Amino acid sequence: MKKTFANDTTQMPLIPLATAQKDTRAQPSYQRRFHVMAKPGGSQCNIDCQYCFYLHKEQLLHQPKQPRMDEATLAQFIKSYIESQDGPEVVFSWQGGEPTLLGLDYYRQVVALQRQYCPPGVTIQNDLQTNGLLLNDDWCRFLKEENFLVGLSIDGPRELHDHYRVTRSGKPTFDRVIAAADCLKRHGVPFNALTVVNRLNAQQPLAVYRFLTRELGATYIQFTPCVEPKVYQSTAPQFWTPQQMPALGSPQSKPGHPMSVVTDWSVDPDDWGHFLTVVFEEWVNNDLGRVLVNLFETAVAQTLGQPSQLCVTAEFCGKGLAIEHDGAVYSCDHYVYPEYRVGRIQDHPLNEMVFSTRQLAFGLAKRDSLPAYCRACPHLKLCWGECPKNRLLTTPDGEPGLNYLCSGLRHFFDEVAPMLTGIAVLLRQSEPR
């Protein structure tokens, strides 16, 4: 039986499933829940991170110099997003590029439209991912008043952060990010730290983690591994040829080799495993219950037999899409390429795009395309092959589709599995009987 990869789904017609429509029975058998990452300003940004995977979308998607989701498209998106899913809470996520470049009045309009279309009994939540450079007292007052959760991008202490995260003119940004964090704290705006773990800061796990928790004061941290194929600017995920895929453990499967499959700033997979292991031990010993780390929290939940809290470690994907400034909807934030465009909000309501044969096949392909090497792994149910966009390698027996981070992830789970089990036992014992 032929495996279905994500690229196989790009030729499928967009046919809504029965579950695209709300179940109006007194006891519904399903609820429609999904998440869309909104990029109303496209890839526009005021800094020039060397590792950014989104800046090139300006050329790839032929975006204007100052992309902006117009009022009609914004209203259509907000209305459809609310109407297309069920449940008492709807979460909007605003990202980019740099979403604050659209200005504060734009988000005042966002909130007004949300109130206009929000039905009784439903709560709207907003989060905003930002580099922080434009945050000031006016912004922070608004974010506090409207209960926004802020994700602040910061890669560790000054020398690590400023290595890649610089302005268009090459100036460092660390001090301005710290000023943004201070402003958020002053106004009582909750914020998370989002840290891209790259080839450099991966080698200093304790310096990064202790800075984020002890100096920045972050109590929720998102660690994101930087993995970028050298062809990412022109070639969509899963459209690589097998000849481009090096074998696990080969020199070409590491950053820094002239024939490497990834960019020089991508994290080394073994450094990623070491980074996670060292930080996990620090977290368990000093911050368990006080600091939430996305990858660790979901590993604990999965050890308890619960579903993954993150798409990257879930068995399936397909419920986390992205919408661009022009209303085009893509299968995933990391799949914003012409091949993975599902449709346009101007032509289809979101429910018909999300709950469709094409998007369902895209989501199932995460599990169904796993190589036998993954299926035999003792940590399969904690990893599920991680994100498909990182499946750049071939297995030791030559099967394509192995995750670039595999060796590091195996090391991490080998090391922390006993601790995960111990935490799970303690949590079960603390449950009320």
Side-chain angles (χ1 to χ4, degrees), residues 153-406:
S153 296
I154 186 164
D155 286 354
R158 182 189 303 275
E159 66 276 9
L160 297 177
H161 175 90
D162 283 339
H163 188 83
Y164 291 118
R165 299 188 66 82
V166 295
T167 66
R168 294 300 179 99
S169 59
K171 294 180 180 178
T173 61
F174 179 82
D175 287 336
R176 296 175 68 180
V177 178
I178 294 300
D182 290 342
C183 192
L184 291 166
K185 293 175 188 176
R186 194 164 58 248
H187 288 274
V189 180
F191 71 93
N192 303 335
L194 188 151
T195 298
V196 176
V197 181
N198 51 65
R199 191 178 177 194
L200 179 67
N201 63 359
Q203 298 174 34
Q204 299 190 48
L206 287 181
V208 171
Y209 180 76
R210 288 174 179 171
F211 167 79
L212 295 174
T213 55
R214 310 297 190 263
E215 297 184 46
L216 187 68
T219 55
Y220 186 90
I221 303 170
Q222 301 176 66
F223 287 124
T224 301
C226 179
V227 181
E228 291 178 355
K230 282 186 176 176
V231 296
Y232 78 97
Q233 292 189 347
S234 58
T235 305
Q238 273 74 55
F239 277 85
W240 316 294
T241 62
Q243 291 75 22
Q244 292 174 305
M245 292 184 175
L248 174 69
S250 66
Q252 294 88 345
S253 69
K254 305 272 189 161
H257 188 278
M259 298 300 290
S260 174
V261 72
V262 296
T263 57
D264 287 345
W265 50 85
S266 292
V267 65
D268 183 287
D270 295 328
D271 286 346
W272 175 237
H274 177 71
F275 180 95
L276 290 177
T277 303
V278 171
V279 172
F280 185 89
E281 291 174 352
E282 175 81 1
W283 174 74
V284 167
N285 290 328
N286 298 297
D287 296 320
L288 183 62
R290 186 184 73 84
V291 175
L292 304 180
V293 179
N294 63 340
L295 294 170
F296 304 161
E297 296 292 328
T298 197
V300 171
Q302 288 169 278
T303 302
L304 285 164
Q306 299 172 6
S308 171
Q309 300 168 359
L310 302 172
C311 60
V312 293
T313 55
E315 184 175 2
F316 309 107
C317 60
K319 291 290 187 72
L321 295 88
I323 185 168
E324 266 290 342
H325 75 286
D326 59 357
V329 176
Y330 297 85
S331 288
C332 170
D333 176 40
H334 289 282
Y335 285 74
V336 178
Y337 290 82
E339 295 88 340
Y340 291 99
R341 195 179 83 163
V342 183
R344 298 169 70 248
I345 194 70
Q346 295 91 336
D347 302 327
H348 307 278
L350 282 168
N351 57 301
E352 293 186 1
M353 290 187 274
V354 178
F355 302 100
S356 65
T357 51
R358 176 172 172 177
Q359 190 64 11
L360 175 64
F362 174 86
L364 292 174
K366 181 178 194 284
R367 180 200 63 185
D368 294 346
S369 61
L370 282 171
Y373 186 78
C374 288
R375 295 178 187 276
C377 178
H379 309 303
L380 172 65
K381 293 186 178 180
L382 292 175
C383 173
W384 289 109
E386 212 256 352
C387 183
K389 66 100 177 171
N390 294 333
R391 295 180 183 177
L392 305 169
L393 308 183
T394 58
T395 65
D397 59 359
E399 188 176 1
L402 183 65
N403 196 289
Y404 167 83
L405 298 169
C406 176

